[in-house]
Amino acid sequence: MSGSLSDLLIVTPHPSGQLPADVLHDMLGDDAFDSAKRAAFLRRVFLEGDPFTDLIYLVPGAEHVQAAWSRFAVDLNRDRADTADNGVIKVMDFDRSPLYPADFALSPAARESRLRRLWDTFDAQVQAELAGKRLMIVGHSMAPYGPALSPTPGVPRPGITLMLGSAAAPTFPRAQWDALQAVCAEAFAPLLTGEFTRVAIGDPWDTDTLSLNHQRRTGIPAFGIEVNAGLYLRDGEGQDGAIRALNGAFGRFAAGALALV
């Protein structure tokens, strides 16, 4: 089935390197008022998020929901009650370096306030924008190799990963997985050179939490896509040509994915 791109919702939960002032102060203390230290910390936060995914997954004509705040304020692709190290509110980055002073503790009331302000409002926005759509795609990027705070530290990752749910709980129709993988491989083929050439399903993750939660609520097909950051970052700098090319490839893929539902 084909359809208008207006039938597609694209969600980017992690492109931002910004932190609310109270969260920034929790993390840096008085250094939040030092412009050089603040800028260095926010750059670290930006690069450890999903940098430039707002541009990579931009498809004119589709609807978009883009997070305004860093995943290190609240990770919007985690369940609200997830208290693991890599859960909804993280106290360390992906290399297990602390984000807060050693004596910092977030009280239950402060945790709930942060979730209410950031997680709940984003969840409600996605829910509202998803009404009437036929497909939701959640766009991410991943480190070239598994970081310390991952199930597979040091292991090379695919060029592209599709997170379609598990066999028992698919978020995108199981009968169309192979077709979706083929559409993705064709769209991104010119860019998958060198070390990162594989289009995988479910490696290293099979399920995108936003996709799972909203597909369960609405029945609308949804899936996550991860682009390997090694395809567009060099020494912490985004490569304009690579970002532009990935955006073009994703646009072709998104149209093909929409035609499968």
Side-chain angles (χ1 to χ4, degrees):
M1 181 187 297
S2 61
S4 166
L5 285 171
S6 63
D7 293 332
L8 173 64
L9 176 64
I10 298 169
V11 179
T12 43
H14 301 144
S16 177
Q18 297 301 308
L19 293 165
D22 61 317
V23 177
L24 180 66
H25 190 263
D26 283 345
M27 292 178 172
L28 287 184
D30 285 345
D31 283 348
F33 297 97
D34 183 308
S35 58
K37 291 178 180 178
R38 182 177 67 249
F41 186 77
L42 289 175
R43 178 165 175 76
R44 169 191 166 194
V45 164
F46 172 67
L47 289 174
E48 292 207 30
D50 290 354
F52 306 108
T53 50
D54 49 344
L55 295 174
I56 290 170
Y57 298 114
L58 174 63
V59 178
E63 298 289 345
H64 296 80
V65 176
Q66 174 187 330
W69 304 111
S70 165
R71 72 188 308 163
F72 295 111
V74 163
D75 194 328
L76 303 164
N77 198 44
R78 297 292 185 271
D79 287 323
R80 198 182 192 279
D82 187 344
T83 59
D85 282 351
N86 194 15
V88 67
I89 295 181
K90 307 178 197 308
V91 298
M92 63 186 74
D93 65 18
F94 293 111
D95 288 325
R96 293 191 176 275
S97 297
L99 293 164
Y100 297 87
D103 60 350
F104 178 79
L106 193 66
S107 71
R111 175 186 175 86
E112 178 60 25
S113 173
R114 194 186 299 187
L115 291 171
R116 187 175 62 251
R117 287 182 292 127
L118 305 183
W119 196 98
D120 290 355
T121 55
F122 188 82
D123 180 72
Q125 185 182 8
V126 172
Q127 188 74 5
E129 294 295 338
L130 191 52
K133 299 296 184 288
R134 290 180 35 234
L135 177 65
M136 181 172 83
I137 302 177
V138 184
H140 306 271
S141 70
M142 57 185 168
Y145 306 92
L149 192 65
S150 81
T152 54
V155 174
R157 287 173 166 174
I160 305 286
T161 288
L162 298 173
M163 295 175 287
L164 310 180
S166 65
T171 62
F172 187 81
R174 181 65 184 87
Q176 298 284 41
W177 284 16
D178 290 346
L180 186 70
Q181 184 180 33
V183 169
C184 188
E186 181 178 2
F188 285 94
L191 311 179
L192 298 178
T193 59
E195 189 174 3
F196 308 113
T197 60
R198 186 163 58 99
V199 174
I201 293 177
D203 178 13
W205 310 278
D206 63 12
T207 301
D208 171 75
T209 302
L210 276 162
S211 298
L212 178 63
N213 288 344
H214 286 279
Q215 191 275 333
R216 282 178 170 171
R217 290 184 199 173
T218 66
I220 297 169
F223 66 88
I225 178 172
E226 297 269 4
V227 168
N228 193 305
L231 296 172
Y232 69 92
L233 287 181
R234 296 288 182 276
D235 299 321
E237 297 293 335
Q239 303 301 296
D240 290 349
I243 292 169
R244 185 186 298 272
L246 285 167
N247 172 252
F250 177 72
R252 294 188 293 274
F253 169 58
L258 188 60
L260 294 175
V261 296

